[in-house]
Amino acid sequence: MDRVDRDRIQIGTHSFEKYLQREAIKSRVHELGVDLMVDYHDKNPLFLVVLNGAFMFAADLVRACDFAHEVEFVKMASYGGLNASGEMKRLIGLPDKMEDRHILIVEDIVDTGKTIGAVREDLLQHKPASVEVVTLLLKPDCLECTFESPYVGFEIPPAFVVGYGLDIDGQARNFADIYQLKKGK
Ligand code: IMP
């Protein structure tokens, strides 16, 4: 079995086991594309992809969106370990003209919800017509602020996950499946 298709992976001292298969991810991303098509086909939305974690999800998502749209990339501090720090660097890469645009923020995962809350607040300063979040993963039990979105790929338990763009200390983004940290590891 090659490195990018394993039931278990070891990253440093951490052991992970396969949690979401690539086929399930593909099919859910397609469904999200259909939902977005219904809601945004005539709105020429602007997808703002939050790097680094959302790069793989975004690449598949926009290919599942068969309607006019634009894609831009923004960046914040990366996650540096197993606990959300709650700290965020300045959001960089925002396009100049967002006034009256329909913005879709593309995230890999919403954990406490603090990051996405700060991003949304920042974007609202630019007077967009609307702002919604499309997130592949949501950990509802970890939320520390209000978070609502009709575009959530999967609700997952609080365990740390990697793969499909999500990392641990920069590693494991390359896996096509999503892996969950084994308990007690
Ligand atoms: P929040 O501000 O607590 O919602 O954290 C959001 C960010 O933390 C995400 O964009 C990820 O970069 C990171 N993060 C949270 N949980 C995980 C995880 O299970 N795996 C990898 N990154 C995570």
Side-chain angles (χ1 to χ4, degrees):
M1 199 173 280
D2 84 304
R3 183 170 186 271
V4 291
D5 186 8
R6 294 184 188 162
D7 288 335
R8 290 181 182 72
I9 56 172
Q10 182 77 24
I11 308 290
T13 57
H14 302 293
S15 302
F16 293 83
E17 52 197 10
K18 202 180 272 186
Y19 177 67
L20 285 172
Q21 301 273 358
R22 64 193 71 187
E23 293 80 10
I25 298 170
K26 188 176 175 188
S27 131
R28 186 68 190 115
V29 171
H30 177 76
E31 287 173 359
L32 286 173
V34 172
D35 291 349
L36 290 167
M37 168 91 166
V38 171
D39 298 342
Y40 286 90
H41 65 96
D42 55 353
K43 294 188 172 136
N44 189 25
L46 172 61
F47 287 83
L48 277 188
V49 182
V50 183
L51 295 174
N52 294 327
F55 80 97
M56 208 178 278
F57 172 45
D60 288 340
L61 181 71
V62 297
R63 283 181 289 180
C65 289
D66 190 15
F67 54 90
H69 65 262
E70 291 171 36
V71 186
E72 294 281 353
F73 300 88
V74 293
K75 185 155 182 163
M76 299 179 302
S78 56
Y79 199 76
L82 293 177
N83 298 305
S85 66
E87 281 177 8
M88 194 183 85
K89 282 185 195 159
R90 192 169 59 92
L91 194 57
I92 54 170
L94 279 177
D96 292 338
K97 291 189 180 130
M98 288 189 295
E99 199 168 327
D100 297 328
R101 295 294 309 267
H102 293 279
I103 310 286
L104 289 164
I105 307 168
V106 183
E107 257 288 21
D108 52 354
I109 186 163
V110 174
D111 184 306
T112 63
K114 287 180 184 168
T115 305
I116 205 67
V119 172
R120 190 198 288 266
E121 214 163 278
D122 196 349
L123 291 175
L124 288 174
Q125 311 293 318
H126 297 263
K127 301 188 171 55
S130 66
V131 178
E132 282 286 0
V133 179
V134 188
T135 185
L136 178 67
L137 304 173
L138 168 67
K139 294 180 182 170
D141 296 342
C142 296
L143 280 175
E144 292 178 19
C145 33
T146 310
F147 175 80
E148 280 172 21
S149 168
Y151 313 113
V152 173
F154 300 91
E155 292 194 357
I156 64 168
F160 197 83
V161 288
V162 296
Y164 197 66
L166 291 127
D167 76 308
I168 177 161
D169 295 332
Q171 295 292 314
R173 293 194 198 276
N174 55 311
F175 293 96
D177 308 281
I178 290 179
Y179 293 81
Q180 189 179 60
L181 184 69
K182 278 174 84 173
K183 284 193 183 78
K185 297 286 169 181

